[in-house]
Amino acid sequence: MTTPTVASTPALLTVKNLSFRYKQQVALREVNFEIDSGEIFGLLGPNGAGKTTTISCVAGLLGQYGGELAFRGSSFRPFESSGDRQHLGVVPQDLALYEDLTARENLEFFGGLVGLRAGDLGQAIQSALILAGLVERADDRVKTYSGGMKRRLNLAIGQLHRPDLLLLDEPTAGVDPQSRNHLFEALERLRQEGRTIVYTTHYMEEAQRLCDRIAIMDRGRVIAVGTASQLADQAGIPGADLERVFLELTGRSLRDG
Amino acid sequence: MSSLLATSIQVAKKDLRLYFRDRTGVILGFLLPIGLVGVFGFVNKMAFGSEGGLSRSTLWYVDEDESEKSQQFLASLRTANTLRLRPRSDDPAETRETLEDKLHDGEAHHCLIIPAGFGASLAGGKLPPLQMLRDPGRDLEGQMISIGLLQGLFAAAGTDSSHLLTARALQLAGLPEAWNDRIQQVSRGFQTSVELLFQEAEEADRRPPSQNQGAEPPEQSTSSGPDFLSIMNGLVPVDYTDFAPPERPKMLSYFLAQSVSGIGVMMLMFGLIACASMLIKEREDGTLPRLMVSPAPRDAYLWGKFLFALIIGAAQLVVLFAFGNLVFDVDVLRDPITLGVVSLAVLVAVTAFGMLVAAWASTIKQAEGVSTLVILTMSALGGAWYPIQTIDLPPLASLATHSTITYWAMTAYQGLFWHGKPWTDPVMLRSMAVLLGFAVVASIAAVWFYRRRYAGRRPA
């Protein structure tokens, strides 16, 4: 079931009937949702719900999906079109860093790939280092960083070119509370700048704290979309916290992907 | 102790399970030794198998005498077990000029001219002079050809051969030519003595063994004497004309030039495969998907790896040839333009091959297995370890050698280092064209595999 947001202007991203299968295994079954400009949209679901596959399709990593994507009302084909990918920033679940390069060198390299040059690149790198809290360690090799520092750099690289839509795939996995808090603060700053963010997680408190709206996914489908209180209403337990709503909607059986 | 054993067994079981999970890698791991044994057995059989452990040397000839004796001589040379006579009896005859061209192109290293008057000279009881056009650096082949010529002359001169050659040997050992008549007398006497000796031996064979006691042959003399090897090599009178590029270093030998080129090409392939495997590592480390979602063209990552491997390969070649130049006197900078052009063609072909392996393999284990197999096979078949060009291979084997990057790389480098050819020489142009052909085909295949495996056609 889906509840698309009604808006006078087209949504920033529209996902319509998105389906995908890995050989014999169906990963997504007609997924529908819309994301408006400036919001943090959460994709919440147990393991194997289809969150990462959804992000991969939107990011352009997977191409042979069914359904349609639209960006500001126009057809959006990031797998085929590098121009469409220019709108996106991606923070993958796995740390995607060159450990033998410094943070600055990583930022320079990935900044170059998204088309930043010379002065713009230098400015973007400095902003990214501030966002990640890595100014002091910018010229140290990444392999000397803690897990939290790497996570912060991972985020800083994804938003380096100020993309229209930032996709974060479980960015806090394996991070200590201090670094997680720093990441949240960084995301709050991005929200204040008006950035649009898709945030996948299976931590309820993260979704509740950060996301304006949340889509709960299970077994390859979106089973509910809305604010935390709207989701509680949809689950028939008004005022309940997100964890209870989530378990009510997805059930208590184990999910093994 | 039992805990140590149990844990060791557990670790081994886990590793075995992991090892066998990559089935392609496992197959390649087992295929590798089988493939290598097969290739080396095949090449050795082609090179030495049917010839009693000896490789034959190719000797080109032109018969300007066309007498019965010269035909007899050639027929005997054809049966010599150290020679491979060319042209074959059913091939068109060569001329002195065409043989000179072959020497220049590196297709031949020794060319025998049987001059007019050969038969008449032999019939007149004289050892006839022969002419040999040769590449002076091919000493090993030269020794084998001397043995073959000796065999041939024995057969052509018939019963006179022994005293003619004995007389020649004594002359070479130092007796003056003016003593030729005396030498002839002594050698004829020697021949008679030898014949008597054989008769005695045959009679002794027919007697019961008990009657032969005390008739031991005399012990071999251990005293030093003339240099018998050089005497033997000089028994057949040959006028040599050397064909070699004037700028070829005197200290350089054919096998040294071959080794520097061959080992260089082989190590280049190993090095570039390692570079290309970084593509797989990037995927395993998670950086490649991040590159794939950036707006940059996706094929650029493959070509970026190509460029990187090309630069590293060029640096490897510079170091290798500098070493060859300093230590082994391979004058690599004799023609820097040709060196650059040839090296670029070799680098492009080898790098494209490395990219193909990296794009095809899904794990580093697979990449290492298949590349080791292919590189060692190409090195053996293509002549990186020994000069395969000197072996007369049957058509199928010849096709196999010509289907390797190594063969064409070796042909181009030997053309430069040994034969002193410029890059505009047809042999060099052909080699480089084939190498570039390899590069184009391997690049197309690499892009296809890369797009299929890495650029999202299926989940990476």
Side-chain angles (χ1 to χ4, degrees), chain B residues 186-200:
Chain B
V186 170
S187 66
R188 282 183 192 284
F190 173 72
Q191 184 183 352
T192 309
S193 303
V194 169
E195 284 169 2
L196 285 171
L197 204 59
F198 272 96
Q199 280 174 15
E200 278 180 35

Side-chain angles (χ1 to χ4, degrees), chain A residues 91-99 106 110 142-143 145-157 169-175 183, chain B residues 281-290:
Chain A
V91 179
Q93 186 175 338
D94 297 325
L95 289 169
L97 306 166
Y98 295 103
E99 300 236 336
N106 269 283
F110 286 109
V142 171
K143 67 181 176 189
Y145 288 6
S146 67
M149 292 164 81
K150 289 176 185 174
R151 282 279 163 201
R152 278 142 47 197
L153 179 60
N154 208 30
L155 169 66
I157 289 171
D169 191 6
E170 302 193 18
T172 57
V175 171
L183 276 171
Chain B
K281 189 172 183 308
E282 286 226 22
R283 193 186 65 179
E284 290 178 352
D285 289 351
T287 45
L288 194 66
R290 175 161 241 163

Side-chain angles (χ1 to χ4, degrees), chain A residues 22 59-61 63-64 79 82 85-86 90-92 95-98 109-110 113-114 154 157-158, chain B residues 282 285-298 301 305 454-460:
Chain A
Y22 294 99
L61 265 179
Q64 291 177 327
F79 177 75
S82 61
R85 291 200 296 275
Q86 185 74 46
V90 181
V91 179
L95 289 169
L97 306 166
Y98 295 103
F109 173 67
F110 286 109
L113 290 184
V114 293
N154 208 30
I157 289 171
Chain B
E282 286 226 22
D285 289 351
T287 45
L288 194 66
R290 175 161 241 163
L291 302 176
M292 291 294 168
V293 297
S294 83
R298 286 171 170 162
Y301 307 125
K305 297 286 176 209
Y454 292 94
R457 299 286 177 211
R458 65 183 186 192

Side-chain angles (χ1 to χ4, degrees), chain A residues 27-210:
Chain A
L28 298 179
R29 302 164 195 266
E30 303 203 335
V31 169
N32 291 279
F33 59 84
E34 289 185 343
I35 299 169
D36 291 326
S37 284
E39 74 172 333
I40 297 184
F41 185 85
L43 276 178
L44 190 64
N47 290 333
K51 305 183 297 291
T52 298
T53 305
T54 304
I55 290 279
S56 296
C57 291
V58 174
L61 265 179
L62 298 175
Q64 291 177 327
Y65 52 78
E68 291 172 31
L69 301 175
F71 194 84
R72 292 193 176 117
S74 301
S75 174
F76 186 61
R77 303 190 66 79
F79 177 75
E80 290 86 3
S81 164
S82 61
D84 284 354
R85 291 200 296 275
Q86 185 74 46
H87 295 296
L88 303 172
V90 181
V91 179
Q93 186 175 338
D94 297 325
L95 289 169
L97 306 166
Y98 295 103
E99 300 236 336
D100 282 315
L101 299 182
T102 65
R104 192 185 302 281
E105 288 166 340
N106 269 283
L107 289 162
E108 277 171 358
F109 173 67
F110 286 109
L113 290 184
V114 293
L116 293 172
R117 296 285 179 270
D120 288 345
L121 179 59
Q123 210 170 0
I125 288 171
Q126 196 55 32
S127 302
L129 288 170
I130 292 167
L131 182 79
L134 290 172
V135 175
E136 303 288 319
R137 301 284 306 273
D139 297 310
D140 293 345
R141 290 191 186 189
V142 171
K143 67 181 176 189
T144 65
Y145 288 6
S146 67
M149 292 164 81
K150 289 176 185 174
R151 282 279 163 201
R152 278 142 47 197
L153 179 60
N154 208 30
L155 169 66
I157 289 171
Q159 62 77 55
L160 189 61
H161 60 304
R162 303 178 68 83
D164 295 318
L165 180 62
L166 182 60
L167 306 170
L168 282 82
D169 191 6
E170 302 193 18
T172 57
V175 171
D176 63 36
Q178 285 77 13
S179 283
R180 180 178 298 187
N181 190 57
H182 189 282
L183 276 171
F184 291 163
E185 287 172 5
L187 291 172
E188 288 292 351
R189 242 176 293 162
L190 294 175
R191 185 216 299 268
Q192 284 160 16
E193 291 173 12
R195 307 280 191 90
T196 308
I197 296 169
V198 176
Y199 188 97
T200 80
T201 182
H202 46 235
Y203 296 125
M204 305 301 142
E205 71 280 10
E206 286 185 10
Q208 190 137 21
R209 173 176 172 179
L210 285 171

